[in-house]
Amino acid sequence: MTGRHTPRPGAAPLPRMIAAQAALETRMMLRHGEQLLLTVVIPTLLLVLFSTVDLVDVDGERVDFLTPGVLALAVLSTAFTGQAIATGFERRYGVLKRLGASPLPRWALLCGKTAAVLVTLALQTVLLTAAALALGWSPHGNPLSVVVLLLLGTAACSGLGLLMAGTLRAEATLAAANLVFVLLLFFGGVVVPLDEFPDGARAVLGLTPLAALSDGLRDVLRDGAAMPWGDAGVLAVWAVLALAAAGRFFRWE
Amino acid sequence: MHSAGGTPAVEAVGLVKRYGGTAAVDGLDLTVRTGTVTAVLGPNGAGKTTTIECCEGYRVPDAGRLRVLGLDPATQAATLRPRIGVMLQEGGIYPGIRALEMLRHVAGLHAHPLDVPELAERLGLDSCGRTPYRRLSGGQRQRLALALAVVGRPELVFLDEPTAGLDPQARHATWDLIRELRADGVTTVLTTHFMDEAEELADEVAIVDAGRVIAHGSPAELSRGGSADVLRFSGRPGLDLASLRAALPAGSQAEEPSPGNYRITGDVGPRLLATVTAWCAQHGVLADRISTRRHTLEDVFLELTGKELRS
């Protein structure tokens, strides 16, 4: 008998568990090469390329049009695409199941994921803002409105990402999440203004979370609007519906 | 360390779990005494993993009574989980995480975990501590999963095929760890396909087939049941079997399945062997190729569960 294993079970204090999970999820997210391509490299390249090369017609300065859209795209890439793919594979590899047998409650696991998304987004925002300022961006409006819109967009994208990850096969999630990213990149008002599309298409596209977020951010940052309630409302509805559906249909195994 | 009375670590009575129309577990009874090692044996598809996963709170039984450490895993999982350690058949580990990073993380979810570097060294994980999980070998993955099950200093550990795919060294290291757990009063429930593992480690063996426990007891008790042990030898054909039978102890049988090949069943021990060779000497028979084969747990297992292949 060594006494080494003499039972002394117990969960760590909850705040410590959540902090550990958040730190782990953040490290994993920032370490993941493909994920960084999606969350950092693509938005930055788009910003630089489309600001400096005259590829699409926009009103006013190109960088003033592009930056809000690229910030919205950053939200989509991290909260939706990246999170959906990572979570889908964690589910497939039994990571969620394994952690389900640990003292960590499931809601605390999701808190960890959300914290990782928020940390990554903060880093993306700093990086993209710096790049945009270097390209001559002059932002307007109330920063608080910007933060509210970004958080609503994050909630909507997270809900949709987790709904996808928790219901589809990992491979299907991988394909679908990337497809949605590419489609919304072109049809979500990021690089091509929604005005370029026919009226009917524009009305429908305007209701997608990415278009609502990029449009709302543009209203504030380019046009100095106080708070674009219409876009905020669209995002809030997406957030509530998607998070409720994810809560209802998410399968842990 | 073995508390005779008290609450059993696991108590299942009439446990039923159906998937679709088929019952994976079909009226299973199992009692695991605190501080013991119990091996659950059974062919593939017998219901071993489903039973364990009911105990871990992953599956909710359709019928029957199940108590783990006196708690209902289906409704009291939050209280139960910090007290149990779990090793799944498939790792359940982030592909990109480093071995020691995962071990440290799970240790950090517990109040009084084991010393991580020491545990890693014990299980030979120190050399691959910085290797991402996806690049670990099968054996390293198994050992990491085992380390994760014990790092939180649980009262009860569930190990689903802990030595599947391990080399002999890693297998013995795993056995040593399980023996240490028992010495320190931890209860272990493990599933395995290796009969020697069950004989080596288990205080109790439960043989499961078609969702029920069909035999239960210590390895020695189980080996004594079923068909008898066998002694074989060759000699000239047509020996006088009646005379041989008369010389043997009661309860033994002698036959000549093919010309010149003799088979004696009964309590095969030194006395029986001496009796047979003495009889041969008296009858001028040079007994050739004498072999004894005592009944093993594997024989019992195959007798009880049959030899046809399972899904």
Side-chain angles (χ1 to χ4, degrees):
Chain A
M1 177 158 87
T2 62
R4 190 188 286 124
H5 300 283
T6 305
R8 201 173 170 203
L14 204 44
R16 204 170 88 198
M17 286 201 277
I18 295 175
Q21 190 64 31
L24 180 75
E25 298 269 356
T26 309
R27 281 202 308 275
M28 306 281 286
M29 198 177 265
L30 296 178
R31 197 188 287 162
H32 202 283
E34 295 94 323
Q35 192 115 311
L36 287 181
L37 179 73
L38 200 73
T39 54
V40 174
V41 179
I42 292 178
T44 312
L45 276 181
L46 284 174
L47 181 64
V48 173
L49 183 72
F50 282 84
S51 305
T52 49
V53 183
D54 192 4
L55 291 172
V56 278
D57 267 345
V58 297
D59 301 332
E61 286 297 318
R62 279 197 299 272
V63 70
D64 291 342
F65 167 82
L66 276 166
T67 308
V70 168
L71 287 173
L73 187 70
V75 171
L76 182 77
S77 69
T78 300
F80 173 75
T81 311
Q83 182 167 233
I85 295 170
T87 309
F89 278 95
E90 284 165 17
R91 182 169 146 248
R92 143 85 164 275
Y93 290 129
V95 177
L96 301 182
K97 180 180 178 181
R98 177 68 190 77
L99 285 177
S102 78
L104 183 76
R106 281 174 170 170
W107 63 265
L109 172 65
L110 290 179
C111 285
K113 290 197 167 295
T114 304
V117 166
L118 292 176
V119 169
T120 310
L121 261 174
L123 295 174
Q124 283 173 293
T125 306
V126 169
L127 182 79
L128 290 170
T129 302
L133 290 172
L135 292 163
W137 180 43
S138 50
H140 301 86
N142 183 355
L144 192 66
S145 303
V146 174
V147 171
V148 169
L149 285 168
L150 286 175
L151 289 178
L152 281 173
T154 304
C157 288
S158 281
L160 290 168
L162 290 173
L163 176 64
M164 191 178 258
T167 51
L168 302 182
R169 281 187 309 116
E171 291 79 0
T173 297
L174 177 68
N178 279 318
L179 183 67
V180 168
F181 179 82
V182 172
L183 287 179
L184 287 182
L185 167 61
F186 291 109
F187 300 106
V190 175
V191 290
V192 182
L194 284 187
D195 302 342
E196 304 277 315
F197 296 99
D199 283 352
R202 193 170 63 206
V204 175
L205 292 177
L207 293 176
T208 62
L210 187 62
L213 182 56
S214 55
D215 190 57
L217 289 173
R218 203 167 285 130
D219 283 353
V220 179
L221 290 166
R222 186 181 63 176
D223 306 330
M227 182 70 199
W229 291 108
D231 292 319
V234 170
L235 291 173
V237 169
W238 274 110
V240 169
L241 290 180
L243 289 170
R248 171 76 183 75
F249 297 112
F250 195 95
R251 292 194 312 260
W252 294 85
E253 291 179 36
Chain B
M1 274 297 153
H2 299 203
S3 54
T7 322
V10 176
E11 192 177 21
V13 181
L15 197 68
V16 176
K17 177 67 194 173
R18 291 186 200 90
Y19 295 120
T22 8
V25 175
D26 191 11
L28 179 134
D29 300 319
L30 180 68
T31 303
V32 175
R33 283 181 298 125
T34 300
T36 61
V37 176
T38 295
V40 180
L41 304 179
N44 288 332
K48 302 185 298 290
T49 297
T50 302
T51 302
I52 299 263
E53 292 199 339
C54 285
C55 294
E56 292 161 346
Y58 286 125
R59 314 263 169 265
V60 180
D62 293 312
R65 182 191 141 85
L66 179 62
R67 290 291 175 274
V68 177
L69 300 175
L71 300 167
D72 181 350
T75 58
Q76 296 170 295
T79 321
L80 178 62
R81 280 184 172 140
R83 297 173 60 189
I84 62 173
V86 168
M87 176 178 179
L88 300 175
Q89 240 178 71
E90 293 123 40
I93 296 168
Y94 300 90
I97 202 168
R98 297 179 180 121
L100 272 182
E101 188 178 25
M102 184 72 190
L103 187 52
R104 238 182 264 119
H105 180 61
V106 172
L109 300 177
H110 290 89
H112 313 285
L114 294 178
D115 182 59
V116 168
E118 190 187 323
L119 179 63
E121 200 199 325
R122 283 275 333 257
L123 289 171
L125 291 167
D126 41 351
S127 60
C128 60
R130 291 191 54 77
T131 310
Y133 182 73
R134 77 172 91 81
R135 294 218 308 267
L136 294 180
S137 72
Q140 289 167 334
R141 290 178 179 197
Q142 288 281 92
R143 282 177 275 146
L144 177 58
L146 177 67
L148 295 178
V150 303
V151 74
R153 296 179 64 182
E155 291 165 61
L156 169 63
V157 293
F158 292 100
L159 309 176
D160 206 351
E161 301 192 12
T163 59
L166 290 188
D167 63 25
Q169 287 81 0
R171 210 161 157 235
H172 280 279
T174 302
W175 289 1
D176 287 343
L177 184 73
I178 293 171
R179 287 192 195 100
E180 246 178 59
L181 290 173
R182 175 175 46 194
D184 287 339
V186 180
T187 310
T188 301
V189 177
L190 60 92
T191 68
T192 182
H193 285 298
F194 300 116
M195 302 297 148
D196 59 334
E197 183 160 294
E199 281 181 322
E200 193 71 34
L201 292 177
D203 301 295
E204 296 281 332
V205 172
I207 298 181
V208 177
D209 197 16
R212 289 163 178 268
V213 173
I214 54 171
H216 190 273
S218 70
E221 279 163 9
L222 283 176
S223 307
R224 274 201 297 276
S227 70
D229 305 331
V230 179
L231 184 155
R232 291 170 194 278
F233 69 92
S234 306
R236 60 169 193 271
L239 294 178
D240 183 359
L241 287 178
S243 154
L244 178 56
R245 280 189 199 115
L248 294 174
S252 306
Q253 269 303 323
E255 44 186 17
E256 188 179 0
S258 60
N261 289 310
Y262 299 89
R263 183 171 177 273
I264 293 161
T265 52
D267 183 13
V268 174
R271 208 162 69 85
L272 184 81
L273 182 60
T275 309
V276 170
T277 49
W279 183 87
C280 287
Q282 275 164 28
H283 293 76
V285 176
L286 176 62
D288 195 13
R289 283 182 295 177
I290 299 178
S291 70
T292 56
R293 190 157 165 279
R294 291 181 62 84
H295 210 57
T296 63
L297 194 55
E298 182 148 1
D299 299 320
V300 181
F301 179 81
L302 289 173
E303 262 163 45
L304 289 170
T305 59
K307 285 194 174 169
E308 73 273 30
L309 293 178
R310 305 303 176 95
S311 55

